[in-house]
Amino acid sequence: MALQESLAKFKQQQEKCQSTLTSIASSRPAQPHRTAHASTSSLASARAPAPAVKFSNDTERLQHINSIRKSPVGAQIKRVIDLLLETRQAFTPEQINETCYVDVNANKAVFDSLRNNLKVSYDGRRFSYKSKHDLKDKNQLLVLVRKFPEGIAVIDLKDAYPTVMEDLQALKAAGQVWLLSNFDSQEDIAYPNDPRVLIKVDDDLKHLFRGIELPRDMIDIEKDLQKNGMKPVTNTAKRRAMAQVHGIGSKSKPKKKQREISKRTKLTNAHLPELFKNLNVPDN
């Protein structure tokens, strides 16, 4: 309210100054001059209207500040949180007011909402951004992902620090983590790619895996892959057509001798014991 009154008074003063200048210019008497040229220029200047007085360039900034402070509390809080997120610095209420024009001290609702916001940390003097996971670099990111063998949502990692997404892609490229999409929420999930991590598989997933019967023909497998948006590495139809053109019959591959499993063999699918029930496992 005080800012609006100041603007109104400022405009009245500017209009009053303009009116005064105009009246002075119109009432100024013509003065004799030594030369005709000087008299002519003086008369022209007396008849010309006085230039309009422009408002100060600061008026637009003041109007912008006033619109921010009159905006809803939620909009002001978002403005402050965006500032804290982008800079990752701690600000006093006075510094916030100078930087993004949100007067935290003068608006109790904004102050209380910021102090109790889950994304904001307040130490009694300064406000700073608070991410869900306190991470500083790629090593800490990898340690955190490995603590969640069943996956951690990428959306919970995005605001940890500015380059977290680049580090996550680097860990994926190095083969240290997996990034898979959740079909329900269409969000990426980060999984640790560590063979030492024991992953618990739900019984429903086990039953689903056991109930899937793969097609016997490779062409049908390639069609199923294409239906699910995946590009098969092989092209069996093309290969068979080329074989017929050159008169080459398809040869069935000889069956490999099933390798026996001993107690020293490392079982990577130990959570599916039914895969090994028909195998000959020696006692020694």
Side-chain angles (χ1 to χ4, degrees), residues 18-29 45-51:
Q18 182 178 352
S19 176
T20 303
L21 290 173
T22 304
S23 61
I24 292 175
S26 60
S27 61
R28 180 180 297 174
S45 62
R47 292 179 179 177

Side-chain angles (χ1 to χ4, degrees), residues 84-211:
L84 301 178
L85 174 62
E86 292 173 2
T87 60
R88 299 299 176 115
Q89 297 178 3
F91 289 85
T92 63
E94 292 76 15
Q95 292 171 335
I96 292 175
N97 187 18
E98 294 175 359
T99 307
C100 65
Y101 308 125
V102 176
D103 195 351
V104 178
N105 286 331
N107 195 326
K108 187 176 184 300
V110 174
F111 182 87
D112 292 340
S113 297
L114 282 175
R115 187 179 57 182
N116 298 323
N117 195 287
L118 297 177
K119 293 292 184 180
V120 178
S121 177
Y122 180 63
D123 61 1
R125 187 165 178 264
R126 290 183 173 88
F127 293 93
S128 59
Y129 188 80
K130 181 173 65 176
S131 57
K132 185 172 183 177
H133 299 284
D134 187 15
L135 305 175
K136 304 299 182 184
D137 52 34
K138 183 167 63 176
N139 293 329
Q140 293 183 4
L141 174 62
L142 180 59
V143 171
L144 177 67
V145 174
R146 286 177 173 173
K147 291 181 180 179
F148 293 85
E150 298 180 4
I152 180 173
V154 174
I155 194 173
D156 293 338
L157 303 173
K158 284 185 176 180
D159 62 347
Y161 56 93
T163 60
V164 64
M165 295 306 298
E166 289 82 353
D167 289 344
L168 197 59
Q169 292 295 333
L171 292 174
K172 176 186 176 182
Q176 294 179 296
V177 301
W178 295 101
L179 292 180
L180 304 178
S181 297
N182 188 330
F183 290 103
D184 296 332
S185 59
Q186 299 298 322
E187 293 179 355
D188 288 340
I189 308 295
Y191 296 90
N193 185 16
D194 190 349
R196 298 171 297 177
V197 177
L198 298 178
I199 300 177
K200 181 181 178 182
V201 181
D202 295 337
D203 292 336
D204 294 340
L205 185 58
K206 292 180 183 179
H207 293 314
L208 181 62
F209 175 79
R210 295 164 187 160

